Amino acid sequence: MIKRCWLIGKKYFSLKASDKKLLFHLFFSNLLRSCSLLLIPFASSKVVEFATIKDYKSTLICVVIFLVVSLIYVLCHHYNYVAYKNNSIFTHNKLQKLILNKVTSYDENFTKSLSTSYILNTSFNDVGNVMQIPDQIFDSIGGSLNIIIALIILFSVNVYIGIVAIILNFVSMFALGKNMKKRDYYLFRQRKHQDSIASLMEQVLDGKKEIKAFNMSENLNTYLDNYKKLWRKDYFKERKYNDNVYVFVPTILGFGKIIVYLILIFLILNNKYNVAILVLVIGYYENIETEFEKLYIKLDNVSFNSTRLERIYK
């Protein structure tokens, strides 16, 4: 999965449709947001720790720290949205300019290899999706870094909890990559069938009189039915793997949360851990769950938009 995203990112950046300064702000804002998010569970656990032993002065200080950290996270998030907006505007305009320059360089017979409907879909629909790829890749990097640091913290708190979390994350990532690869293959086939249907419709509009004169409607409907059958077949297969991505994969980490709770309850009952450690561990595990959910959505979007990228790259 990581290798595939690397190749997608490499192909995207080879288009040279981005500004380096805007990309830096996009990456840096993602990194700041991920780092600031890691401080929140630690601050909240300290609030519980001092409140439990009735040290109200320290509790108040930790509450203030928690509020400051939360505010920093909000500001970093806003910074990221501004960076995304600026980069998207630049990339959208640059990609459309590149496509226009490419089309104007074709000879008169270019429609034999690329249909008009293909070019129109690429110029408008595909560009709107492809311009999101750098933000999705940087989000994936920031999310992965967040998960790795959270796993290290869990491992330092308790070896067994750390091992459970690491194993389940590896299994989840493997299942995610496997299902995304299959899903994208059938999505690519769907797009090809859609282009064929659009091309057929274009031919019908261009030769409307000839179709009526030679009574070709039945033959055209047969061609359309064939394309629709192929599209439907690939659509059901694509949905099968897509459902696995959004239903089966998240269940793996959800199952791990139950195991972590059982380990913590056992240790608390045996007076080895206190409630503050419970808040800390659960806070970081839920952080991993949240970041992993965002990660597979971002990786899913990168993978999904790779089909659009291939069409622009062509």
Side-chain angles (χ1 to χ4, degrees):
M1 189 69 220
I2 295 171
K3 182 182 177 182
R4 187 158 183 267
C5 283
W6 165 259
L7 293 173
I8 292 168
K10 188 178 178 182
K11 182 166 282 190
Y12 169 81
F13 290 116
S14 70
L15 292 172
K16 296 179 179 178
S18 298
D19 179 79
K20 290 181 179 179
K21 185 179 178 181
L22 295 175
L23 282 177
F24 171 78
H25 281 290
L26 189 62
F27 176 73
F28 187 61
S29 61
N30 266 303
L31 198 61
L32 284 178
R33 186 184 64 182
S34 296
C35 292
S36 60
L37 184 63
L38 283 167
L39 297 172
I40 294 174
F42 178 76
S44 60
S45 69
K46 285 297 177 183
V47 171
V48 173
E49 180 182 346
F50 289 117
T52 304
I53 60 175
K54 297 181 179 181
D55 185 347
Y56 299 117
K57 184 179 177 181
S58 298
T59 301
L60 184 60
I61 293 170
C62 289
V63 167
V64 173
I65 293 171
F66 176 80
L67 292 173
V68 171
V69 168
S70 300
L71 179 61
I72 291 171
Y73 172 72
V74 171
L75 292 173
C76 291
H77 214 155
H78 176 69
Y79 173 32
N80 180 245
Y81 274 122
V82 173
Y84 169 75
K85 178 196 68 177
N86 294 335
N87 185 71
S88 295
I89 292 170
F90 180 89
T91 305
H92 183 275
N93 295 336
K94 186 71 174 179
L95 283 173
Q96 287 199 325
K97 185 179 179 181
L98 289 172
I99 292 169
L100 182 62
N101 291 339
K102 187 73 174 178
V103 171
T104 53
S105 68
Y106 289 146
D107 58 32
E108 293 179 356
N109 298 316
F110 75 91
T111 51
K112 290 182 179 179
S113 58
L114 292 174
S115 66
T116 305
S117 57
Y118 181 102
I119 294 171
L120 289 174
N121 283 333
T122 300
S123 300
F124 296 99
N125 188 23
D126 295 334
V127 165
N129 288 283
V130 170
M131 71 180 188
Q132 301 172 32
I133 287 179
D135 178 63
Q136 291 159 355
I137 289 174
F138 293 153
D139 266 350
S140 301
I141 293 170
S144 299
L145 183 65
N146 192 303
I147 289 170
I148 290 168
I149 294 172
L151 286 172
I152 292 170
I153 292 170
L154 290 181
F155 195 84
S156 65
V157 172
N158 186 278
V159 175
Y160 299 111
I161 291 174
I163 290 172
V164 169
I166 289 169
I167 290 173
L168 290 174
N169 270 272
F170 272 112
V171 172
S172 298
M173 191 60 70
F174 176 79
L176 183 67
K178 201 83 172 173
N179 283 284
M180 277 186 178
K181 189 175 180 180
K182 287 282 188 180
R183 192 277 313 278
D184 291 341
Y185 171 74
Y186 290 109
L187 178 64
F188 180 74
R189 287 172 60 92
Q190 278 180 248
R191 292 288 290 175
K192 286 183 69 177
H193 300 322
Q194 286 174 334
D195 286 332
S196 298
I197 293 170
S199 181
L200 180 64
M201 292 298 182
E202 182 187 348
Q203 293 173 38
V204 169
L205 293 172
D206 289 341
K208 200 170 183 181
K209 291 181 180 179
E210 289 82 355
I211 291 168
K212 287 183 178 179
F214 295 101
N215 196 22
M216 297 169 62
S217 298
E218 289 187 13
N219 290 334
L220 288 171
N221 282 325
T222 301
Y223 281 122
L224 182 61
D225 286 339
N226 289 335
Y227 286 133
K228 284 162 67 177
K229 285 177 183 177
L230 291 170
W231 181 88
R232 191 184 300 116
K233 180 181 177 182
D234 290 328
Y235 172 76
F236 281 122
K237 288 184 177 180
E238 182 258 333
R239 285 303 308 176
K240 171 188 171 184
Y241 294 107
N242 193 64
D243 289 345
N244 286 344
V245 167
Y246 284 97
V247 178
F248 172 68
V249 174
T251 306
I252 298 172
L253 284 178
F255 173 73
K257 192 174 182 179
I258 297 171
I259 297 174
V260 170
Y261 263 117
L262 291 174
I263 294 172
L264 286 169
I265 290 168
F266 174 79
L267 292 170
I268 289 170
L269 290 174
N270 285 275
N271 296 319
K272 292 185 178 180
Y273 283 162
N274 55 31
V275 179
I277 296 295
L278 173 68
V279 173
L280 180 71
V281 171
I282 295 303
Y284 278 113
Y285 193 88
E286 287 182 346
N287 191 314
I288 290 171
E289 276 190 302
T290 302
E291 285 302 306
F292 191 86
E293 183 180 351
K294 290 179 183 177
L295 179 62
Y296 73 69
I297 290 172
K298 294 298 180 182
L299 290 176
D300 181 37
N301 288 334
V302 171
S303 189
F304 186 78
N305 289 331
S306 66
T307 304
R308 273 84 175 171
L309 178 61
E310 288 292 337
R311 291 160 63 83
I312 290 177
Y313 201 80
K314 186 176 178 181

